[in-house]
Amino acid sequence: MKLANKKAIVTGGTRGIGNAIVRELAGNGCSVVFTYFSSDEAARLLENELTSDNVKVLGFKADAASFAAAQETVNYAIQNIGGLDILINNAGRTKDNLLLRMSEQDFDSVVNANLKSVFNYTKAALKPMIGQRYGKIVNISSVVGIIGNPGQANYVASKAGIIGLTKSNAKELASRNINVNAVAPGFIETDMTGKLNDQQKEAILSAVPIKRLGKPEDIAKAVAFLCSSDADYITGQVLKVDGGMVM
Ligand code: NAP
């Protein structure tokens, strides 16, 4: 139980990578408030499945793009799980199109949900984390934020922005004993990549030395490591979890 008695917020916890992160943290003894946007039913199911004698797992409906909702989420965590040690900024969305056809609205909505959300939640988490002089923050970026990807200008800009924000925040917060790192997944089997056809999947696999797509659990294990005391001397890093796709 490498995270016993810790308290975490995970944004976007009912599906995909966020769901695997909630499970991994709770499995390591950490109480979790996860946010969600769409399904109350999925949130209640996850709460019931994971809450035990040792850990509380609670869902909180919040749009990650909303600054006010981030503060409400942190207040909810303090009141209901008793504090905040770990923040995982996972919520994210795509709205792909070639730049020529991308609307201003589609650019703004993706950047707000993916990048501004990291600012929102990090800022809200600072007060409790600085007060206790302890915190672990992990931001979910993407390898495309490092290498770019046609048809994803909005998404790539948001994921590259997360890397810059991670490094700045790591430098500002290290003296307060708060570690800030990013995980950059490659292609992971979730709803987000479920839209790819077989031909697209084959093309991706040909660029992955470990010849398989990633699983949400592959990301969750890396996140749990960065949240543990085993990673106390790691900050400002971007850990690629991509089967060797980007070296
Ligand atoms: P997913 O299955 O599509 O799940 C996205 C999650 O984000 C859902 O839980 C969703 O909540 C939440 N979300 C989206 N917009 C939100 C908003 N405005 N407010 C609150 N929650 C919001 O995607 P995924 O593959 O698990 O992706 C998780 C993270 O990993 C994202 O940041 C994504 O960019 C990143 N990533 C994924 C891959 C990949 O290959 N899958 C690769 C690189 C990076 P609801 O379901 O409640 O709407």
Side-chain angles (χ1 to χ4, degrees):
M1 291 272 189
K2 57 183 163 193
L3 301 174
N5 302 319
K6 296 288 188 223
K7 285 120 189 163
I9 287 175
V10 179
T11 64
T14 53
R15 287 192 291 130
I17 291 170
N19 185 280
I21 294 170
V22 173
R23 289 172 187 280
E24 183 68 24
L25 298 186
N28 277 289
C30 181
S31 286
V32 182
V33 167
F34 64 86
T35 70
Y36 66 99
F37 197 46
S38 309
S39 170
D40 292 317
E41 194 191 347
R44 301 293 87 80
L45 281 172
L46 192 61
E47 288 174 344
N48 292 338
E49 186 190 336
L50 296 183
T51 293
S52 67
D53 291 344
N54 299 328
V55 298
K56 267 190 181 178
V57 176
L58 296 169
F60 189 79
K61 195 168 197 166
D63 180 356
S66 160
F67 187 72
Q71 187 61 62
E72 285 165 20
T73 311
V74 169
N75 293 343
Y76 181 82
I78 290 167
Q79 282 158 18
N80 291 280
I81 57 172
L84 182 61
D85 306 299
I86 293 167
L87 169 64
I88 315 298
N89 285 304
N90 163 78
R93 60 177 308 197
T94 53
K95 204 102 184 147
D96 297 350
N97 218 332
L98 293 173
L99 189 56
L100 206 58
R101 295 197 201 114
M102 188 175 288
S103 67
E104 181 186 6
Q105 194 192 14
D106 286 351
F107 188 88
D108 287 349
S109 71
V110 168
V111 169
N112 286 337
N114 297 6
L115 174 60
K116 183 165 174 284
S117 59
V118 179
F119 168 77
N120 295 342
Y121 274 86
T122 305
K123 188 145 165 79
L126 284 188
K127 202 170 164 202
M129 286 186 177
I130 287 176
Q132 71 204 8
R133 291 188 66 80
Y134 179 89
K136 302 276 190 194
I137 300 175
V138 180
N139 301 322
I140 307 299
S141 176
S142 168
V143 290
V144 300
I146 301 168
I147 59 171
N149 204 23
Q152 289 199 307
N154 49 3
Y155 182 78
V156 169
S158 73
K159 294 298 175 181
I162 286 175
I163 291 173
L165 193 54
T166 298
K167 292 180 181 181
S168 265
N169 292 350
K171 287 187 175 181
E172 280 192 32
L173 298 172
S175 63
R176 315 298 182 111
N177 197 32
I178 299 170
N179 301 51
V180 190
N181 290 291
V183 168
F187 281 86
I188 311 301
E189 282 183 288
T190 67
D191 294 346
M192 194 175 270
T193 46
K195 304 161 200 159
L196 298 173
N197 61 37
D198 286 347
Q199 207 181 351
Q200 288 168 313
K201 281 189 184 163
E202 278 306 313
I204 291 162
L205 275 179
S206 70
V208 179
I210 296 178
K211 289 278 171 214
R212 66 168 175 85
L213 296 182
K215 300 191 207 82
E217 293 74 23
D218 293 320
I219 307 303
K221 299 263 183 217
V223 168
F225 162 68
L226 289 170
C227 294
S228 75
S229 59
D230 292 342
D232 280 350
Y233 200 57
I234 300 175
T235 198
Q237 302 305 306
V238 183
L239 177 56
K240 286 173 248 155
V241 183
D242 65 350
M245 194 180 144
V246 176
M247 294 188 192

